[in-house]
């Protein structure tokens, strides 16, 4: 697989999908991915899933009583009940792996902020509190022996939203290019792909 063009590397896949990066991830790739996220009508992350589905998606589509539109669902953060997959793994190795995924953590934190803002704009009131701890630091502390102090300017809050936004001019230029592209469905070869012809 190494050296073949068109093959996505495993790490930071969400940044790669949104930015089109094939090789090494750069800050520009992270910013491109954030600009693309801004184009979504509604960004839903794990912590806002119940509120987004029940109070935004279901009413928007006039869905009632379906499996997905059950207002009695818990409104808390989805917590995995799986055992820690890193129980017997050296914490240095885990920390290095988490560091490799740092661009994905940054994109996830931006998605959390966007989701929160978009739900507020849609009048959703019962949104779970957003953890202020950056997901990168939260994950390091959870799976390694590290205890870290988060500087106030790095907290994931609406007050710090400018720290997470990609540069405005950068996004505006990309949106002009994306907006001028012709809408077309490219033929994609692979498992489950359909020939559009």
């Amino acid at each position: 697989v190494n050296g073949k063009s068109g093959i996505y590397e495993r790490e930071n896949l969400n940044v790669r999908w949104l930015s089109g990066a094939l090789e090494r991830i750069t800050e520009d790739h992270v910013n491109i991915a954030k600009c693309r996220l801004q184009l979504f009508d509604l960004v839903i992350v794990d912590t806002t899933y119940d509120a987004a589905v029940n109070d935004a998606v279901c009413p928007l589509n006039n869905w009632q009583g379906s499996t997905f539109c059950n207002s009695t669902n818990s409104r808390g953060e989805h917590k995995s009940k799986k055992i820690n997959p890193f129980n017997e793994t050296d914490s240095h190795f885990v920390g290095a792996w988490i560091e490799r995924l740092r661009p994905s953590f940054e994109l996830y934190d931006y998605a959390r902020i966007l989701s929160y803002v978009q739900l507020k704009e849609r009048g959703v009131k019962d949104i779970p509190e957003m953890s202020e701890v950056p997901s990168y630091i939260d994950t390091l502390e959870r799976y390694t022996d590290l205890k870290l102090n988060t500087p106030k300017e790095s907290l994931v809050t609406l007050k710090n939203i400018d720290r997470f936004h990609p540069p405005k001019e950068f996004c505006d230029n990309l949106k002009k290019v994306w907006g001028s592209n012709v809408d077309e469905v490219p033929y994609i070869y692979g498992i489950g792909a359909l020939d559009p012809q």
Side-chain angles (χ1 to χ4, degrees):
V1 177
N2 281 343
K4 295 203 176 202
S5 74
I7 305 271
Y8 283 92
E9 294 181 21
R10 287 189 226 188
E11 73 274 352
N12 297 301
L13 196 54
N14 54 355
V15 174
R16 291 178 187 286
W17 279 344
L18 288 169
S19 71
L22 295 174
E23 301 295 328
R24 188 177 148 268
I25 296 288
T26 66
E27 186 177 343
D28 280 347
H29 292 120
V30 174
N31 284 328
I32 291 168
K34 288 178 177 182
C35 295
R36 286 213 192 240
L37 264 185
Q38 291 177 359
L39 298 175
F40 283 72
D41 293 331
L42 180 61
V43 175
I44 301 174
V45 296
D46 57 343
T47 54
T48 62
Y49 177 82
D50 290 332
V53 169
N54 289 317
D55 299 335
V57 175
C58 291
L60 181 67
N61 292 291
N62 292 320
W63 295 340
Q64 297 172 348
S66 74
T67 307
F68 302 107
C69 300
N70 182 358
S71 61
T72 61
N73 284 348
S74 80
R75 294 293 180 131
E77 183 176 339
H78 289 271
K79 296 279 187 187
S80 174
K81 293 182 172 86
K82 295 179 181 177
I83 60 168
N84 179 352
F86 301 117
N87 270 346
E88 301 293 321
T89 308
D90 183 323
S91 63
H92 293 92
F93 173 76
V94 174
W97 179 74
I98 291 169
E99 179 63 32
R100 283 184 66 148
L101 298 175
R102 198 171 191 156
S104 288
F105 286 109
E106 184 175 338
L107 183 62
Y108 173 71
D109 287 339
Y110 186 62
R112 287 194 301 151
I113 291 172
L114 279 183
S115 182
Y116 191 86
V117 167
Q118 291 172 346
L119 289 172
K120 284 280 194 196
E121 288 172 351
R122 284 168 176 73
V124 176
K125 292 178 178 53
D126 194 13
I127 306 170
E129 286 294 318
M130 181 171 48
S131 170
E132 294 182 346
V133 178
S135 57
Y136 169 77
I137 291 175
D138 179 54
T139 305
L140 272 175
E141 288 182 343
R142 191 176 321 150
Y143 295 114
T144 67
D145 297 328
L146 295 174
K147 294 294 173 225
L148 304 166
N149 291 327
T150 307
K152 285 185 180 179
E153 63 274 3
S154 295
L155 293 176
V156 183
T157 65
L158 296 179
K159 289 179 186 174
N160 289 341
I161 195 168
D162 290 339
R163 181 224 177 272
F164 292 93
H165 273 312
K168 183 176 176 1
E169 186 176 334
F170 181 83
C171 279
D172 289 345
N173 288 335
L174 285 174
K175 289 174 186 176
K176 283 179 193 170
V177 172
W178 293 332
S180 65
N181 290 341
V182 177
D183 288 337
E184 63 181 64
V185 179
Y187 176 67
I188 301 172
Y189 179 76
I191 297 172
L194 300 173
D195 186 347
Q197 299 162 355

